[in-house]
Amino acid sequence: MLNLCPTQYIIPSSIDPLSEKNCPLPDHEIDNIYSEFGLDPQLPLITQVSRYDRFKDPVGVIEAYKLASKLTPMQLVLAGGGASDDPEGEAVLNEVKQASNGASNIHVLLLPADANRTINALQRASDIILQKSIREGFGLTVSEGMWKGKPVIGGDTGGIRLQVIDHYTGFLVRTPEGAALRTRYLLHRRDKLEEMGMRAKRFVRENFLITRHLREYLTLMLGLTNENVERITVGNV
Ligand code: UDP
């Protein structure tokens, strides 16, 4: 009988630890971030790096920040850029600006497409990385943050669930209230923050570096030499 359901291999995405986005940076380059963007070096920093897209829920991040910062002083960076394939970006950016309402500790950044070292430095300067998406593919920014030894508070959706092991490498959340609660918890429990950050880095080293990606492709190629090629489709998450 004809098999209409081909075998599928799903290979999760990965990050390159030697790229400008993820390579180690000298301390002065990380410290420059504070003066470049008017950040306060004395205040805890939480950051979400994302296109201004409703699925990334930047307004939800601002709500979370507003809730959390009522009780715990902190500052928020939302770092994003325009994407040529994203016509709604400008509208979402306006919503974000409105939601932030000029608050001095919310920094809405519009970065050029090649600001890889800047994003790297922002992630390294942060205490916590947020990726509060309500829909997500793999979510590269999650592994990028984890690789820098940061716990990630991520939306409980899509590929974020592969990367954020709830209560272990970070927290999975569904609401601004949930994100606020976890943010305050981590800022008050520095020991847990450090511990989760270390686990996050180790988890990315073991699972989401380009070396694992290459190994899986090579394994698949090897597998293909022994199977009916037409029955196989390959997908990237
Ligand atoms: N990114 C960037 N500049 C920005 C916003 C995002 O370089 O202003 C990068 C981010 O560091 C990550 C990628 O774009 O490497 C976004 O990938 P992800 O899977 O997180 O989200 P997507 O935009 O593909 O939905």
Side-chain angles (χ1 to χ4, degrees), residues 21 49-51 56 80-81 119 136 139-141 144:
K21 182 79 63 64
V49 175
S50 271
R51 291 179 290 111
K56 310 287 185 182
I119 288 174
E136 191 54 84
L140 280 169
T141 51
E144 289 166 9

Side-chain angles (χ1 to χ4, degrees), residues 23-32 117 121 124:
C23 64
L25 292 180
D27 286 346
H28 70 84
E29 206 167 329
I30 301 169
D31 293 343
N32 281 348
R117 286 182 85 92
R124 288 182 190 280

Side-chain angles (χ1 to χ4, degrees), residues 51 81-89 113:
R51 291 179 290 111
S84 50
D85 59 350
D86 184 12
E88 285 203 11

Side-chain angles (χ1 to χ4, degrees), residues 141-184:
T141 51
V142 173
S143 275
E144 289 166 9
M146 291 169 70
W147 179 240
K148 282 123 196 166
K150 311 297 170 175
V152 174
I153 298 177
D156 188 4
T157 184
I160 297 178
R161 292 185 185 132
L162 289 178
Q163 300 168 82
V164 175
I165 309 302
D166 202 13
H167 293 257
Y168 189 74
T169 62
F171 290 107
L172 291 171
V173 296
R174 290 173 173 267
T175 59
E177 289 79 6
L181 183 77
R182 299 313 187 189
T183 299
R184 290 194 60 239

Side-chain angles (χ1 to χ4, degrees), residues 5-6 12 14 38 40 44 54 61 68 120 123 127 131 170 201 231:
C5 186
S14 64
D40 181 345
R54 291 200 180 89
V61 172
N120 187 344
Q123 289 165 331
D127 295 281
Q131 189 54 58
K201 179 162 191 170
R231 288 182 53 239

